[in-house]
Amino acid sequence: MFRFLQRKSAVEARILEAIDSGVPGSATAIKVSAEQALGVMAVFAAVRVISEDVAKLPAKLKRETEDGSETATAEPEHIVLSRIGKPASEEDDGFTAMEWIEAVVAAAALGGCGVVYLNRVGGKVREVVPIKRGCWCEERGKWRIKWRKDRWEEVDRADLMVLRGPQLGMDVTQTARQAIDLARRLDMMMTSLAKKAGRANGIISSESLNSQDKAQTFVSRIKNYFGPSGDGGLMPVDLGALHYIRLSMTPEELQQDKTYSRVVTQIASAYRVQPAHLMHALTEHNNASLYSSNRQHVEVCIQPWTKRFRQTFDKDVLGEARVSEGYYCDIALQGLLQGDPDSRAKLYMALRTVGAMSPLTVAKLEDLPTKGVSDDPAFPLLTNPKPKEEKDGDDDDE
């Protein structure tokens, strides 16, 4: 009994209740819908980071030829990948390339599966329509979608692009439902505490509060803003720079803060996103460490998703026949996997010195203009392709 009371006095009972509800024994009783999961900021941030980082990368339709690879700009699938997924019409505003890619990746990251309807004309995909969660279903190999006039329609599997998440569509949100549910409970507790005003956690002061009238005006402003009868407005009184001094945290607040941070870390691990991307932690770092952190994020989180998208696009959108003709989806990740500018410059210089890399290759890697740039690895390092005409007599020895 003594230990029980000691435990309750050290940590707020509601926090313990939230933690105890997530023990393995009660995991089967926890149910978290997609909408509830998105209400947890850590989950929303993780899904947003994944979907936006994949969608913002340059995507193209390319084709392998005898002379190498080239961008298939004349094919409709290239327009769908790089510019417009569906033009605006009388029915809707359509979708940009980034919008439909972001939507299908977000659905796959959140629920394990993202579905896109493919409008084929002459065997080629000219429009795509991402299907929202809850508007598609699959039973015994038969697919139905609800999109036009809010009616269910049966569609062929060949007219769909189905992007699956990790492990053939594992629902990460349900797998991590214990941590997500605990985070949701802690969020509600914090909201409840804020509504009840809670206890004071800091002191606001100002050097301009040098008279009783000004101090009373300041107090009135605070009451009008936070009080139950206040209208939310603030009186335009100039009080100069305000200073905030935080009071020490209670054991309950410390426990809640530590618990929430640990839960966010668990959620980040489930989605393979670095916690700093979810909590926006402010840390001091130099350029080298920043590039290293971003590269790790790309390798661990973004690269697997881009590979899933590329291969799914080739399988469902292009099909075996088009792939056999040399067509494939290309998403440029090379730039994000490179190191900091100084490291890249040293590497390029070393490879150029031994004749292992041409100026054209360097220009392509750095997304620089390539017109007139030599593709010869033996091209001299210090050569001006258009030297100025020397003036007469400049090199004459007197």
Side-chain angles (χ1 to χ4, degrees):
M1 177 64 71
F2 174 77
R3 291 183 179 178
F4 174 77
L5 294 176
Q6 188 179 36
R7 182 183 182 215
K8 298 288 276 189
S9 63
V11 184
E12 188 176 358
R14 289 178 297 173
I15 299 178
L16 290 175
E17 181 183 355
I19 296 174
D20 291 339
S21 67
V23 297
S26 61
T28 56
I30 299 176
K31 295 182 180 180
V32 179
S33 65
E35 287 71 21
Q36 289 176 330
L38 284 177
V40 177
M41 187 53 61
V43 176
F44 174 79
V47 173
R48 182 177 180 179
V49 165
I50 294 172
S51 59
E52 284 189 352
D53 283 1
V54 173
K56 71 184 180 183
L57 293 172
K60 301 177 182 179
L61 180 69
K62 288 193 173 183
R63 186 180 186 182
E64 288 286 353
T65 64
E66 295 180 355
D67 299 329
S69 61
E70 62 181 14
T71 303
T73 56
E75 299 297 326
E77 290 88 352
H78 174 70
I79 304 298
V80 168
L81 271 176
S82 61
R83 298 179 184 176
I84 302 174
K86 181 180 183 296
S89 63
E90 295 181 356
E91 296 180 354
D92 54 51
D93 291 334
F95 307 95
T96 65
M98 180 170 179
E99 286 174 338
W100 82 263
I101 295 175
E102 181 182 5
V104 67
V105 173
L110 181 65
C113 188
V115 178
V116 179
Y117 177 76
L118 310 174
N119 183 13
R120 297 184 186 272
V121 179
K124 298 181 179 181
V125 176
R126 300 183 179 274
E127 293 179 351
V128 296
V129 179
I131 307 301
K132 297 180 179 180
R133 294 189 309 274
C135 294
W136 63 267
C137 67
E138 184 268 334
E139 296 178 358
R140 299 179 181 180
K142 294 184 178 181
W143 289 79
R144 292 189 304 154
I145 61 174
K146 183 172 64 174
W147 59 310
R148 291 182 296 196
K149 298 181 181 180
D150 202 28
R151 295 181 304 180
W152 285 97
E153 300 180 17
E154 188 171 336
V155 295
D156 294 334
R157 176 61 178 85
D159 292 330
L160 298 176
M161 172 181 169
V162 181
L163 178 65
R164 298 185 180 91
Q167 300 183 20
L168 295 176
M170 179 184 65
D171 193 337
V172 177
T173 301
Q174 292 303 316
T175 303
R177 62 186 181 274
Q178 289 179 267
I180 295 175
D181 183 65
L182 178 55
R184 188 169 63 89
R185 290 170 178 268
L186 291 174
D187 279 339
M188 290 189 294
M189 288 170 48
M190 294 166 64
T191 303
S192 176
L193 182 62
K195 288 182 178 179
K196 296 178 180 179
R199 72 173 188 86
N201 63 356
I203 300 174
I204 300 178
S205 62
S206 173
E207 296 178 358
S208 299
L209 298 177
N210 51 14
S211 66
Q212 185 176 357
D213 293 338
K214 288 185 178 181
Q216 186 61 39
T217 301
F218 178 73
V219 173
S220 299
R221 286 177 56 187
I222 298 298
K223 288 183 178 180
N224 289 335
Y225 185 74
F226 292 103
S229 60
D231 58 1
L234 292 179
M235 296 176 60
V237 178
D238 184 15
L239 295 175
L242 298 178
H243 305 283
Y244 176 77
I245 303 175
R246 181 172 177 80
L247 298 177
S248 60
M249 298 179 68
T250 64
E252 292 82 3
E253 291 175 327
L254 287 173
Q255 179 66 34
Q256 182 170 331
D257 185 66
K258 291 293 184 182
T259 303
Y260 192 80
S261 298
R262 187 170 183 272
V263 169
V264 170
T265 301
Q266 291 177 338
I267 294 175
S269 299
Y271 291 96
R272 302 200 73 182
V273 178
Q274 295 181 8
H277 286 81
L278 307 186
M279 302 177 68
H280 298 282
L282 299 178
T283 57
E284 295 184 0
H285 49 69
N286 52 32
N287 289 335
S289 63
L290 178 61
Y291 278 104
S292 177
S293 175
N294 289 338
R295 179 168 180 170
Q296 182 181 9
H297 170 64
V298 173
E299 291 178 343
V300 174
C301 179
I302 303 304
Q303 192 170 25
W305 279 105
T306 56
K307 187 171 184 178
R308 291 188 190 103
F309 182 89
R310 289 198 312 265
Q311 294 182 349
T312 302
F313 190 92
D314 292 347
K315 177 176 71 72
D316 292 347
V317 179
L318 298 178
E320 185 178 356
R322 301 288 299 283
V323 171
S324 63
E325 295 175 0
Y327 292 99
Y328 65 94
C329 171
D330 178 71
I331 298 180
L333 263 179
Q334 184 64 32
L336 296 180
L337 291 174
Q338 295 173 344
D340 60 278
D342 291 339
S343 299
R344 297 201 308 270
K346 293 178 180 178
L347 175 63
Y348 295 153
M349 179 61 68
L351 295 176
R352 288 282 293 115
T353 302
V354 299
M357 179 179 285
S358 68
L360 181 61
T361 303
V362 176
K364 289 181 177 180
L365 289 174
E366 292 297 316
D367 197 21
L368 298 173
T370 58
K371 185 177 180 180
V373 179
S374 174
D375 195 22
D376 182 9
F379 193 80
L381 290 174
L382 301 176
T383 299
N384 187 352
K386 295 182 179 180
K388 295 181 179 179
E389 296 183 0
E390 297 178 354
K391 296 181 180 181
D392 295 338
D394 284 352
D395 294 331
D396 294 341
D397 294 330
E398 297 294 341

